[in-house]
Amino acid sequence: MKIHHLRNATLVIETEDQVILVDPMLGKKGSLPPFSFFRFKMRRNPTVELPENSSSILEKVTHCIITHNHPDHIDVAAEKFLKSKNIPVICSVLDEKTFRKKELNVVQTVKYWESSSFLNGKIEGIPAKHGYGFVAKPAGNVMGFYIELPNQPSIYLSSDTIYTEHVDKVLKEYKPEISIVAAGSAQFDIFKPLLMTVDDIVKFIENAPSKVIANHMEAVNHCPTTRENLKQTLERKNLLDKTFIPEDGELIDF
């Protein structure tokens, strides 16, 4: 398995037979409004361009998994890309209606804690809570995914979530060989964080049974945790060896 980190939460899982795009935010730098206006520096999003190698990677995509309907996980440019190539989309059953209205090619919907067939393997929806306290409710539904494909390492896409009993269960009972955590600690101008605090990111990595990929950093203006901040913290906790913190455009080969 190869995992290409493109930008933010956008990644591509490449196996011998399939190339799966996850949470595509494909617009040009600055194509979205700021997500924070005064807590953090007011900048339009994404704050960086896609890496130069993204086009060649995207050309190979055969399927797309979308964890939730937020613009930093599925933007207008991504919708146009998916529709132009009629790429099969896999999503939560709760998002099916929305994505069909966008005329995306939804071929499979997934329910929480229900395993279903997927590319000769299986996929299961994992509950995700998009924020601490009140903010999780307006943030809407999010689905993580646990995926097993033939002759490939199992993978847990935790998506935009705080650390919950559901996250804990997957890490400890399902024992994914690759776990992906959204590590930018996103926060709006008001309310508590939308993603795990650094302390909970550390907890996630400590409890992960194998390798962890930390993404969702340095691409949208409401994410204060940087790669370097996280590296320094994980180094102090002796957790850096089990964690990949990829640069945009970087390939991780498992």
Side-chain angles (χ1 to χ4, degrees):
M1 179 179 286
K2 296 178 180 179
I3 295 182
H4 305 265
H5 171 72
L6 297 188
R7 178 180 63 185
N8 197 50
T10 306
L11 60 90
V12 173
I13 301 167
E14 182 176 359
T15 70
E16 293 173 357
D17 304 314
Q18 309 294 344
V19 180
I20 306 164
L21 174 64
V22 178
D23 283 351
M25 179 176 64
L26 304 182
K28 292 184 178 297
K29 177 181 177 181
S31 57
L32 294 169
F35 299 145
S36 171
F37 292 87
F38 56 82
R39 185 186 293 275
F40 306 113
K41 184 178 179 181
M42 189 176 70
R43 292 183 291 168
R44 290 184 64 84
N45 294 298
T47 58
V48 294
E49 294 285 8
L50 280 168
E52 291 182 0
N53 62 344
S54 60
S55 294
S56 59
I57 297 167
L58 291 169
E59 279 297 317
K60 300 186 290 183
V61 167
T62 60
H63 296 78
C64 179
I65 291 174
I66 306 173
T67 63
H68 62 299
N69 184 36
H70 282 178
D72 59 332
H73 293 257
I74 172 75
D75 61 4
V76 172
E79 292 171 17
K80 289 179 180 177
F81 169 79
L82 294 172
K83 287 190 285 188
S84 69
K85 295 183 173 295
N86 200 34
I87 291 173
V89 168
I90 299 90
C91 66
S92 164
V93 67
L94 300 177
D95 286 330
E96 179 182 10
K97 187 176 180 180
T98 298
F99 292 149
R100 287 196 186 280
K101 279 186 176 180
K102 293 175 182 285
E103 300 181 341
L104 300 184
N105 180 24
V106 177
V107 298
Q108 182 172 358
T109 58
V110 183
K111 296 180 180 179
Y112 293 118
W113 298 125
E114 188 172 303
S115 182
S116 55
S117 178
F118 177 61
L119 301 178
N120 296 316
K122 64 180 184 179
I123 188 168
E124 183 171 344
I126 308 299
K129 187 177 181 181
H130 201 338
Y132 297 87
F134 171 79
V135 73
K137 188 171 183 179
N141 64 278
V142 185
M143 180 174 280
F145 294 94
Y146 174 75
I147 303 168
E148 291 182 355
L149 298 174
N151 305 312
Q152 301 294 331
S154 57
I155 185 166
Y156 172 35
L157 303 167
S158 65
S159 188
D160 282 12
T161 187
I162 61 173
Y163 197 100
T164 67
E165 69 273 19
H166 307 302
V167 172
D168 194 72
K169 176 180 178 179
V170 175
L171 294 176
K172 293 178 179 177
E173 296 182 19
Y174 289 40
K175 299 187 183 303
E177 292 166 89
I178 303 168
S179 300
I180 299 176
V181 61
S185 308
Q187 191 167 1
F188 290 139
D189 290 329
I190 56 175
F191 305 123
K192 294 179 180 179
L194 294 151
L195 301 176
M196 292 184 206
T197 62
V198 172
D199 286 346
D200 276 346
I201 296 165
V202 167
K203 184 179 178 181
F204 183 102
I205 297 168
E206 285 175 336
N207 289 331
S210 190
K211 294 293 186 179
V212 175
I213 298 173
N215 67 4
H216 212 308
M217 288 178 284
E218 299 182 49
V220 284
N221 86 305
H222 64 327
C223 285
T225 300
T226 65
R227 293 177 173 95
E228 187 57 36
N229 294 154
L230 187 59
K231 283 178 184 176
Q232 291 175 5
T233 298
L234 297 182
E235 208 161 27
R236 291 195 299 270
K237 301 284 186 178
N238 295 315
L239 292 171
L240 196 53
D241 286 347
K242 69 184 291 191
T243 311
F244 294 99
I245 307 177
E247 297 294 329
D248 293 350
E250 187 173 340
L251 167 66
I252 305 170
D253 197 341
F254 291 93

